[in-house]
Amino acid sequence: MTETALDEGAAMYQPYYPPPRRTNTLAIVSLVMLFFFAPASIVLGVMARKEIRRTGEDGWGLATAGLIVGSVLTAFYTLAMIFWIFIIVRYWPPMSDLPNQ
């Protein structure tokens, strides 16, 4: 009579699963900062990408999204401010009545 390993009471072991890879914290913060202060998102995105390259963590896409969207939003805000300054200077009635020096 042959007995198998299960019949002998051998323990069943679960297969080894590697721990999940961590997502870089700076990449997450870079994406969150888009809603509060876009230029900070650019800086954090660059820092996160450099750290991800060094450590091998996940989050490259988050850092890239924070960097690109932060750059676009910062450019948009800058152009909007320049436009509003131009409009105020050009069309503000009291400003046009000032004497030239």
Side-chain angles (χ1 to χ4, degrees), residues 26-59:
L26 285 176
I28 296 169
V29 174
S30 171
L31 206 57
V32 170
M33 285 303 290
L34 286 172
F35 299 103
F36 302 106
F37 189 62
S41 180
I42 297 169
V43 173
L44 291 170
V46 170
M47 290 171 53
R49 286 171 53 124
K50 182 183 281 189
E51 191 172 296
I52 289 168
R53 239 183 274 126
R54 184 175 47 87
T55 63
E57 293 176 312
D58 283 341

Side-chain angles (χ1 to χ4, degrees), residues 58-81:
D58 283 341
W60 183 266
L62 295 175
T64 304
L67 178 63
I68 292 172
V69 177
S71 299
V72 169
L73 286 177
T74 301
F76 176 75
Y77 293 152
T78 303
L79 290 174
M81 292 300 292

